[in-house]
Amino acid sequence: MDYSAANTALWSSLIQFGIIAAAVIVSNFLRRKISLFRKSLLPTAVLAGFILLVLNTTGLLTLDAQLLETITYHGIAIGFIAMTLRVQKKDAEDRSTALTGAKTGAMIVSVYLVQALIGSAVVLLLAFTVMPDLFKAAGILLPMGYGQGPGQANNIGGAYEALGFAGGRSFGLSLSASGYLVACFVGVIALNILMKKGRFQRIAHEDISGSVTVDTFQDQGEMPLSESLDRFSMQVAMVTITYLITYLVTWGITAGITAVSPGLGNTVNSLLWGFNFIIGSLVAILVKLFLSRMKRLNFMARQYQNNYLLNRISGFAFDLMIIAGIASIRLEDLSGLWLPFILLSVAGAMATWLYLAWICKKLYPNYYYEGLMSMYGMLTGTISSGVLLLRELDPEYKTPAANNLVLGSSFGIGFGFPVLIVVGMAPKSDFMLYLVIGICFVYLALLLTFILKINVKNSAVKSKKK
């Protein structure tokens, strides 16, 4: 085998990952040293993605587009699997109740629906006036980019592109990039306005690297550090095995559907592969239940999951996904789509803020601003941008807002599954698009009924004093 630089197949991927790593280091330096970037709260991964996008677009660097798409596709699944495998600890002081978590999940999905309805209204208005050739289902990509992030924007945008939306994948990823800017810059403006109105006082603090909650590195009953197998290797093995099972399950389902009904297979198989992160999360739940059962039956003496390291794996996967997703945008594909892109970006930012400002007052009366800013950051960017905004109001996480981000996202997977299914139906025909819009209206009404009408007697949330 040729190990020299002439063997491009051997070295090309390493070179591409080296370029991504260099962009991360440079972005971290810029964010730490330049106050403009630091005060903007723009995540390092997002900044790195934009740097690579500029360099790739101007021709100063040549990035492997297929590798970037692969990272974006697999990153979202690996991240969600690692998050789902974490062991949930019962904490008597946990102030995020199951009902609040369920309502938060319903609210998250209701924001997706509001974004889909607003996006569809904007696109249909353009399609029936100044842009008659515009792909009418393009507005559905707004919640994929804003609410779901680059992973789903890449998957659904690619599916729409295959159905006739020229530049659909780049359009979805561009909306996702726009969402990050909205989360950071609009969020910072809102924070400054709230601070000037005396709603809160900014507390000086250093950036905290890590996830929403800080888990102990070793819990009682875990495999010890002295084990012959490195603990991180075990976490990687569990995530990889779970992803392999996810592949086999998805392959089995799609093969079975195609064998029974080839027509149905052509319709849903691409959706199932596109939603591999949902299937991966479900498989991870089953794997976690299996491990828990084995431990209760004394077939296993140790807990092999380590929340701290699983958080690191999910954080690494999501960072890579964000960088690759933004860097893989082809700006030339947006030719002729700038008007809908700008209108959708502005309408999405405004509608998301106005809706959350109303619903968070109902759902989080005891920590309204913390709930509002964290959810706005997450539902235009990602959970990381939601945490960054939250930390300006609640740096020590004294309110349940931080836990709601995680707990609500878990419930949101269940509430959001029907939405992700109908999203794939929208481009089939004008009739299907209008049917999907009608379904969104009905489902939004049902979710709002659950959020506003279902209540149980619960103690008021009080800030934890330290």
Side-chain angles (χ1 to χ4, degrees):
M1 181 177 179
D2 182 10
Y3 297 107
S4 71
N7 188 345
T8 56
L10 177 64
W11 290 103
S12 59
S13 295
L14 180 63
I15 293 171
Q16 295 290 307
F17 278 106
I19 292 172
I20 293 174
V24 171
I25 298 299
V26 171
S27 299
N28 187 65
F29 175 81
L30 293 175
R31 194 176 186 278
R32 295 282 297 173
K33 300 300 182 181
I34 299 178
S35 61
L36 175 63
F37 291 120
R38 187 170 61 253
K39 292 179 180 178
S40 71
L41 302 182
L42 193 68
T44 300
V46 176
L47 182 57
F50 279 118
I51 290 175
L52 292 178
L53 174 62
V54 171
L55 294 176
N56 192 38
T57 302
T58 56
L60 296 176
L61 277 178
T62 301
L63 298 175
D64 187 337
Q66 185 174 357
L67 177 63
L68 293 176
E69 290 184 31
T70 300
I71 293 172
T72 306
Y73 176 76
H74 291 304
I76 186 173
I78 292 173
F80 270 95
I81 287 172
M83 286 181 63
T84 307
L85 284 174
R86 295 178 306 177
V87 177
Q88 301 298 322
K89 300 178 179 62
K90 294 182 179 180
D91 188 350
E93 296 181 349
D94 183 10
R95 294 149 297 171
S96 290
T97 65
L99 181 61
T100 301
K103 286 191 172 187
T104 298
M107 185 201 67
I108 289 171
V109 176
S110 73
V111 173
Y112 298 162
L113 296 171
V114 170
Q115 291 171 341
L117 292 171
I118 292 295
S120 297
V122 170
V123 169
L124 288 175
L125 180 62
L126 291 174
F128 287 118
T129 54
V130 297
M131 300 183 68
D133 295 329
L134 182 61
F135 192 76
K136 292 179 181 177
I140 303 293
L141 289 176
L142 179 59
M144 298 298 105
Y146 271 38
Q148 289 278 299
Q152 279 304 96
N154 175 76
N155 293 351
I156 302 302
Y160 281 19
E161 192 168 299
L163 293 170
F165 184 18
R169 179 182 167 277
S170 289
F171 188 78
L173 286 170
S174 297
L175 285 173
S176 176
S178 172
Y180 285 119
L181 296 178
V182 167
C184 296
F185 291 108
V186 175
V188 169
I189 292 172
L191 284 173
N192 287 324
I193 292 174
L194 292 174
M195 185 173 63
K196 288 180 179 179
K197 289 184 176 182
R199 305 299 186 188
F200 75 98
Q201 289 183 345
R202 180 167 290 170
I203 301 173
H205 56 276
E206 292 294 325
D207 285 347
I208 298 176
S209 174
S211 56
V212 177
T213 56
V214 180
D215 293 313
T216 57
F217 186 70
Q218 179 169 345
D219 290 328
Q220 185 176 2
E222 283 192 32
M223 59 182 294
L225 290 172
S226 58
E227 183 69 56
S228 60
L229 179 64
D230 186 85
R231 187 184 297 172
F232 183 73
S233 299
M234 175 59 72
Q235 311 310 305
V236 172
M238 287 190 293
V239 171
T240 305
I241 287 293
T242 304
Y243 199 19
L244 175 61
I245 297 172
T246 300
Y247 167 80
L248 295 174
V249 169
T250 308
W251 173 78
I253 293 173
T254 53
I257 292 174
T258 301
V260 173
S261 175
L264 181 61
N266 292 332
T267 302
V268 302
N269 285 0
S270 60
L271 287 176
L272 290 173
W273 286 110
F275 298 150
N276 68 328
F277 79 99
I278 293 181
I279 300 175
S281 297
L282 296 175
V283 171
I285 291 173
L286 295 177
V287 170
K288 184 165 64 174
L289 291 174
F290 172 78
L291 293 174
S292 177
R293 183 66 174 171
M294 291 298 100
K295 194 167 184 291
R296 284 200 299 269
L297 294 175
N298 294 323
F299 284 105
M300 291 188 336
R302 295 167 177 168
Q303 173 187 305
Y304 286 94
Q305 301 106 300
N306 179 274
N307 287 358
Y308 178 86
L309 294 177
L310 288 171
N311 280 335
R312 302 286 69 75
I313 293 173
S314 64
F316 175 70
F318 286 144
D319 281 341
L320 268 183
M321 177 196 70
I322 291 167
I323 295 168
I326 295 175
S328 65
I329 296 172
R330 297 187 296 267
L331 293 179
E332 61 272 15
D333 288 349
L334 296 180
S335 176
L337 295 173
W338 286 106
L339 178 60
F341 168 70
I342 293 172
L343 291 178
L344 282 176
S345 298
V346 174
M350 294 177 61
T352 303
W353 176 267
L354 293 174
Y355 178 75
L356 284 174
W358 170 71
I359 196 69
C360 286
K361 192 167 290 186
K362 307 287 186 181
L363 191 54
Y364 310 126
N366 298 303
Y367 48 100
Y368 168 63
Y369 291 110
E370 291 85 351
L372 170 62
M373 296 310 303
S374 60
M375 286 298 163
Y376 187 73
M378 183 177 74
L379 292 169
T380 52
T382 62
I383 193 170
S384 62
S385 49
V387 172
L388 286 170
L389 293 178
L390 172 63
R391 288 183 58 249
E392 297 299 314
L393 286 83
D394 184 16
E396 296 181 4
Y397 305 128
K398 292 182 177 180
T399 69
N403 285 335
N404 287 343
L405 291 174
V406 177
L407 193 60
S409 297
S410 300
F411 279 99
I413 293 175
F415 283 112
F417 188 74
V419 177
L420 294 175
I421 294 299
V422 299
V423 159
M425 299 163 47
K428 301 295 183 181
S429 65
D430 287 353
F431 171 77
M432 292 302 298
L433 173 60
Y434 301 142
L435 178 62
V436 167
I437 292 174
I439 292 173
C440 288
F441 269 115
V442 173
Y443 195 31
L444 177 60
L446 292 174
L447 291 177
L448 285 175
T449 300
F450 170 69
I451 295 169
L452 301 176
K453 300 297 183 182
I454 304 299
N455 292 297
V456 295
K457 189 175 181 180
N458 195 10
S459 58
V461 175
K462 297 180 180 180
S463 295
K464 182 180 178 182
K465 303 296 183 181
K466 289 191 175 182

